[in-house]
Amino acid sequence: MNIKDQLKKVEELYTQNIAERGINSTAVGWNTPDCQGLRFSKLCGVIDGSAPISVNDYGCGYGAQLDYLEKNLRHKVLEYNGYDISNKMLAVAKGNLKNFGGELNLINSANVDTLADYSFVSGTFNLRFDASTEDWEAFISSKLVELNASSRRGFAFNLLTSYVDYREPHLYYGDPCFWFDFCKTNFSKHVSLIHDYPLWEWSILVKKEA
């Protein structure tokens, strides 16, 4: 099956989740708000300085990462571009983020075409359904190239780790060494791999040259 078929399944699952569960971390695949917040905190390590920023959020769901940024970091977000393939998710995000004081763009697309200071991907690459490992890794690689081109100062993403003793067949578990090498080789000299927090995953931060 091709990637388009798998993305359709992802869209259907999360559209159903948000309809049934509402604004809740379980609607976007995270067991608890604390786990969700921990992931965001690791990804936000890519942000340098204290100047206002613009953000691309690929697989934004109901906008939880923007909530996190506004409540926990000193960086003012001037522009937020939230991407999701579920129109239902984006409709909920529009209501959830109605008090955001910056420029809010919610975009129904699997492709990123807005330029921002930083781009984030949290959990979006974990669910592959029937896609082969080779096809899914090719998809992730293409999205990382896209994110790099769309990020002025850096980007960050996470994946379930391959260092597990049990695997669900519909999920993708990424080899952190492979993806670190991919980012270091293709994008920047300034790449960090974080694999020391108590979740079965890792995060990679890619910082651009000043």
Side-chain angles (χ1 to χ4, degrees):
M1 300 180 73
N2 63 35
I3 293 300
K4 186 176 181 180
D5 293 331
Q6 309 315 308
L7 294 181
K8 179 62 177 174
K9 290 183 179 182
V10 172
E11 183 272 324
E12 290 172 347
L13 175 64
Y14 286 114
T15 293
Q16 179 181 353
N17 282 356
I18 196 68
E20 293 177 350
R21 305 175 190 181
I23 299 175
N24 187 295
S25 63
T26 61
V28 288
W30 305 130
N31 291 334
T32 68
D34 287 343
C35 288
Q36 186 182 43
L38 177 58
R39 291 174 170 96
F40 290 154
S41 72
K42 300 304 177 184
L43 295 177
C44 287
V46 75
I47 303 174
D48 283 330
S50 59
I53 61 173
S54 56
V55 168
N56 290 325
D57 186 358
Y58 186 69
C60 67
Y62 54 80
Q65 179 137 18
L66 179 56
D67 280 338
Y68 179 88
L69 285 165
E70 293 213 289
K71 292 174 182 176
N72 294 280
L73 297 186
R74 61 185 176 178
H75 306 83
K76 181 176 178 58
V77 180
L78 298 180
E79 178 184 343
Y80 175 81
N81 305 305
Y83 287 82
D84 208 281
I85 55 176
S86 167
N87 276 318
K88 179 65 176 177
M89 276 287 186
L90 293 174
V92 173
K94 184 177 181 179
N96 186 43
L97 303 175
K98 62 181 181 297
N99 295 322
F100 174 55
E103 180 180 341
L104 179 65
N105 302 303
L106 299 173
I107 304 158
N108 179 238
S109 178
N111 302 313
V112 178
D113 59 7
T114 52
L115 186 62
D117 293 316
Y118 296 100
S119 298
F120 299 98
V121 187
S122 184
T124 303
F125 298 141
N126 291 339
L127 190 59
R128 67 173 178 176
F129 282 109
D130 302 318
S132 68
T133 297
E134 294 76 14
D135 287 348
W136 198 244
E137 288 179 345
F139 169 71
I140 294 173
S141 299
S142 69
K143 291 297 111 179
L144 295 180
V145 170
E146 194 171 277
L147 289 163
N148 180 63
S150 300
S151 308
R152 295 186 188 92
R153 298 171 61 185
F155 66 94
F157 67 101
N158 54 35
L159 277 170
L160 296 172
T161 182
S162 57
Y163 290 90
V164 294
D165 53 16
Y166 175 78
R167 300 190 184 208
E168 295 283 354
H170 64 291
L171 299 177
Y172 172 73
Y173 299 84
D175 179 343
C177 299
F178 171 84
W179 290 109
F180 176 85
D181 181 73
F182 181 84
C183 292
K184 189 84 169 176
T185 301
N186 291 286
F187 303 134
S188 175
K189 295 185 294 184
H190 309 292
V191 178
S192 300
L193 168 63
I194 307 171
H195 203 331
D196 63 349
Y197 53 107
L199 297 172
W200 296 102
E201 66 172 53
W202 48 262
S203 297
I204 279 180
L205 317 180
V206 179
K207 296 182 179 182
K208 300 282 194 78
E209 298 282 356

